[in-house]
Amino acid sequence: MTFDRGFEENWTVGEILSAMAGTEHPGYIKKIILQLQQWMEESMSPEGADQGGDPLSALFDSVMEMDGEKLFTRLEWVDEYADLLPNLKKPSGHEDVIVLNVGPTDFEDSLRMAIDYASLFNRKLCRRVWMISDTFIISDIYRYLSHIKALGAQGIVFRFLQVTPWGWAEIPLAADSAPGNRIVWNNRKDGAAPGEDDRKRDDRLTR
């Protein structure tokens, strides 16, 4: 069964239930991830790195920092759907806030930016904070967990997405919120998660 979603879109029953459960990833989030992955690949490529340099070191050197302006220029369209941080211009004010933490940027600084924006600068509108990052530092999350829980009690949900050039996953704050107590890896090249067959085999052996 489908329901009218707009001029060209339809909702399925499964999508409605997924949205109600808070597990759905909006289309614009997936588009941001794809553009971020493309940018990461370009930054890591030999053309983006110094002559004769190690492409992998570009993740930790200044190449990605220098190329950050290109990424945010590509993401100007996001303003139609959500507030993008960091940003050179004042956000429009949306229910969704996207905080990007990529390259040499500090994870804790990005987390504090997300909390400050949700609790102070956009507190009347904000309902979801998407932290999209190439890292996930558990100690930083633990340090600010009380802030995240307090915002959750006010109806502001934090969603953490870790992205690599090859795939991405949502990282739950509690293990039991992940299906089957596992984090689902979304492979960029195809829909299957790497090692899926091995995991199914392990599950059979432990029953």
Side-chain angles (χ1 to χ4, degrees):
M1 180 182 295
T2 61
F3 302 87
D4 288 341
R5 194 178 196 167
F7 292 110
E8 298 179 354
E9 293 184 286
N10 291 314
W11 286 94
T12 65
V13 172
E15 287 172 333
I16 292 174
L17 294 175
S18 182
M20 292 171 62
T23 58
E24 180 73 7
H25 298 101
Y28 71 86
I29 290 292
K30 295 178 181 178
K31 184 177 178 180
I32 291 171
I33 291 172
L34 178 60
Q35 287 188 289
L36 177 56
Q37 289 174 322
Q38 292 171 340
W39 174 81
M40 294 171 87
E41 280 193 341
E42 292 170 5
S43 299
M44 290 170 57
S45 68
E47 292 77 15
D50 293 334
Q51 284 282 349
D54 179 8
L56 185 59
S57 66
L59 282 172
F60 308 100
D61 293 337
S62 60
V63 176
M64 295 182 78
E65 182 177 20
M66 293 167 54
D67 210 25
E69 185 176 348
K70 179 190 292 185
L71 173 64
F72 282 90
T73 299
R74 293 179 181 177
L75 295 176
E76 288 181 348
W77 60 268
V78 174
D79 187 58
E80 184 179 347
Y81 301 92
D83 293 343
L84 180 65
L85 300 175
N87 205 324
L88 295 176
K89 63 180 181 179
K90 183 178 179 180
S92 302
H94 291 278
E95 288 190 345
D96 283 29
V97 178
I98 299 165
V99 179
L100 284 185
N101 171 250
V102 292
T105 55
D106 185 81
F107 183 80
E108 183 179 3
D109 287 347
S110 297
L111 184 57
R112 289 173 59 185
M113 181 192 304
I115 292 171
D116 287 346
Y117 190 76
S119 61
L120 298 175
F121 302 109
N122 196 30
R123 62 183 302 176
K124 294 182 180 180
L125 289 174
C126 184
R127 288 295 173 264
R128 283 167 299 278
V129 178
W130 299 89
M131 278 282 295
I132 302 179
S133 177
D134 57 6
T135 58
F136 186 81
I137 302 176
I138 296 175
S139 59
D140 287 346
I141 293 292
Y142 188 78
R143 189 177 300 117
Y144 291 95
L145 194 56
S146 60
H147 297 74
I148 295 172
K149 287 182 176 179
L151 287 170
Q154 298 174 33
I156 302 173
V157 178
F158 273 69
R159 307 277 295 269
F160 291 86
L161 307 180
Q162 184 169 5
V163 181
T164 76
W166 309 282
W168 61 279
E170 177 162 2
I171 301 180
L173 292 182
D176 59 359
S177 66
N181 289 332
R182 298 186 187 277
I183 297 175
V184 178
W185 180 260
N186 298 277
N187 194 295
R188 180 180 173 188
K189 304 304 180 185
D190 54 49
E196 185 69 28
D197 291 338
D198 292 337
R199 287 203 295 269
K200 289 179 179 178
R201 189 180 306 112
D202 292 342
D203 290 342
R204 288 197 300 271
L205 292 173
T206 54
R207 285 176 184 169

